[in-house]
Amino acid sequence: METHPDLLDPEWRSRAERDARRGAKKELRQRRKQTPRRRFRRGFRMSRGRRVLVLFLALTVVLLVAATIVVRQLRDTGSGQPPKAAPVPVGVDLDRPYDRTPAATWGEGLAGIIVPPGQAVGDFTAEEVDAAYRKATEAIAAARLGSRALGGDGSELLALLNPNERARLEATLTSAPTVEKGKYLTLIGPNRLLPARPRMIGSLTAKAARKGELIVHASYVTAYAFDVRPGDARSPVDIVPFVRDEEDYMIRKEPSFAKGDAGLGLGDSAGFTSRMACDAIKTGVLAPQYADKGGPVYGAPAVEEAATYDPTKPLPTRDACG
């Protein structure tokens, strides 16, 4: 059979092989059509009935929650009472009297005043400027913090002044409390201060004036905490008045100035007091606002708030007592 003439013909053999391959492919396609395909389930499929049930339950829960909220709101409205607000702190803590006041973060006493490092100014050396800053802070302490001054005794401040300045101010600083004396000293009347030290914020600067003269400018605010009987004050501002001062301290030296004028003198000054008792301040005495005879205006805002507590801003121009 292998010697059959057709088998020996290459063209015939090639055609026969193609026909065989085509027949095999056709038979394979027919088998695939007859064999059913398997379908694999990729996940759980919920029936339509179950989907409707789940949706119904979800809507029911939402409606119940909404109805509960509406009923509560209607109940509160029907009672005629407004919703309860968060409690507001009332009263004062005499152990922490400066809390909830602008002075809460200020320094105690002179620690609140920024004193720059001494640098040469005019014909004053850096060391002389340092000494001038120290003299100015001593004067501030004697006038605003010293126990003598607070009690009406101006001797501590007088001792720091040059001879001629001391003679000029002695009568004023040793007199009974007056408005004029209150410009130089913080005078405390019958209302007693708490043990908490006064708080301060401010700074010193220096500039040259005439030959042999240096001006140290002090810009600062002092807060004082007063004792109080229960019920007399409702907030810390009722017991903490603020005294703002803008002061020039004149430092003069020989030989440019005579011996009697050499040393510390007091220059221009201005001030502003807030949160105080107006009845007392009209006599030169500092007292908390609850001490006014007419009764304090609890929580009354200070005039020009920012300028009252910020020594970098211009002094307020409106009188706090009207």
Side-chain angles (χ1 to χ4, degrees):
M1 186 173 179
E2 293 179 355
T3 59
H4 191 281
D6 290 339
L7 295 175
L8 297 176
D9 184 0
E11 183 178 351
W12 183 89
R13 291 178 63 179
S14 176
R15 189 168 52 250
E17 289 176 358
R18 285 197 303 271
D19 292 342
R21 284 196 296 270
R22 289 174 181 173
K25 289 181 179 180
K26 184 176 181 181
E27 183 179 356
L28 180 60
R29 284 196 297 270
Q30 289 177 351
R31 288 182 180 179
R32 286 179 177 175
K33 290 180 180 180
Q34 294 174 359
T35 303
R37 294 182 180 179
R38 292 184 179 181
R39 293 185 178 180
F40 296 94
R41 301 174 72 179
R42 295 185 178 179
F44 174 75
R45 296 184 63 186
M46 187 182 295
S47 66
R48 182 177 180 182
R50 288 185 177 180
R51 288 200 299 270
V52 172
L53 178 60
V54 170
L55 181 60
F56 173 77
L57 292 175
L59 290 174
T60 302
V61 171
V62 171
L63 290 174
L64 287 174
V65 172
T68 301
I69 294 174
V70 171
V71 169
R72 288 181 179 177
Q73 291 179 343
L74 291 175
R75 184 181 301 167
D76 292 339
T77 304
S79 65
Q81 297 180 354
K84 293 182 179 180
V88 177
V90 176
V92 295
D93 183 351
L94 298 184
D95 293 325
R96 302 173 61 88
Y98 298 107
D99 285 0
R100 294 187 286 136
T101 75
T105 59
W106 297 359
E108 292 188 0
L110 294 177
I113 295 182
I114 298 173
V115 180
Q119 295 182 345
V121 177
D123 55 355
F124 282 74
T125 66
E127 291 75 15
E128 289 175 324
V129 173
D130 263 333
Y133 284 146
R134 288 194 298 272
K135 185 66 73 173
T137 55
E138 289 175 6
I140 292 172
R144 305 302 178 192
L145 304 174
S147 57
R148 294 185 195 175
L150 298 178
D153 181 357
S155 60
E156 190 174 359
L157 178 59
L158 281 172
L160 297 172
L161 303 177
N162 65 52
N164 289 341
E165 190 78 335
R166 188 181 310 123
R168 182 177 72 87
L169 293 175
E170 186 171 10
T172 299
L173 296 182
T174 57
S175 69
T178 62
V179 173
E180 184 65 20
K181 186 176 183 178
K183 294 179 181 178
Y184 298 98
L185 306 174
T186 297
L187 305 175
I188 304 299
N191 295 93
R192 187 168 59 90
L193 288 173
L194 288 169
R197 296 186 63 193
R199 297 283 183 93
M200 303 184 87
I201 186 173
S203 62
L204 301 182
T205 56
K207 66 178 181 179
R210 295 173 291 178
K211 181 176 176 58
E213 184 178 55
L214 182 74
I215 299 176
V216 175
H217 182 74
S219 180
Y220 62 97
V221 187
T222 311
Y224 299 87
F226 283 83
D227 199 358
V228 63
R229 295 177 302 178
D232 281 350
R234 294 179 57 186
S235 71
V237 294
D238 292 330
I239 68 168
V240 179
F242 294 81
V243 180
R244 181 171 167 190
D245 287 290
E246 300 287 331
E247 298 170 337
D248 284 342
Y249 294 93
M250 318 300 294
I251 307 296
R252 301 184 179 103
K253 62 181 180 178
E254 300 179 89
S256 300
F257 288 86
K259 185 176 181 179
D261 291 322
L264 175 65
L266 303 182
D268 294 336
S269 65
F272 184 84
T273 307
S274 63
R275 301 291 189 183
M276 72 299 184
C278 290
D279 292 337
I281 204 67
K282 291 174 182 178
T283 65
V285 173
L286 182 68
Q289 66 178 9
Y290 76 79
D292 263 336
K293 294 178 181 178
V297 180
Y298 293 121
V303 178
E304 300 179 48
E305 288 274 356
T308 299
Y309 310 122
D310 186 351
T312 66
K313 297 184 181 299
L315 276 172
T317 56
R318 181 180 167 192
D319 187 352
C321 289

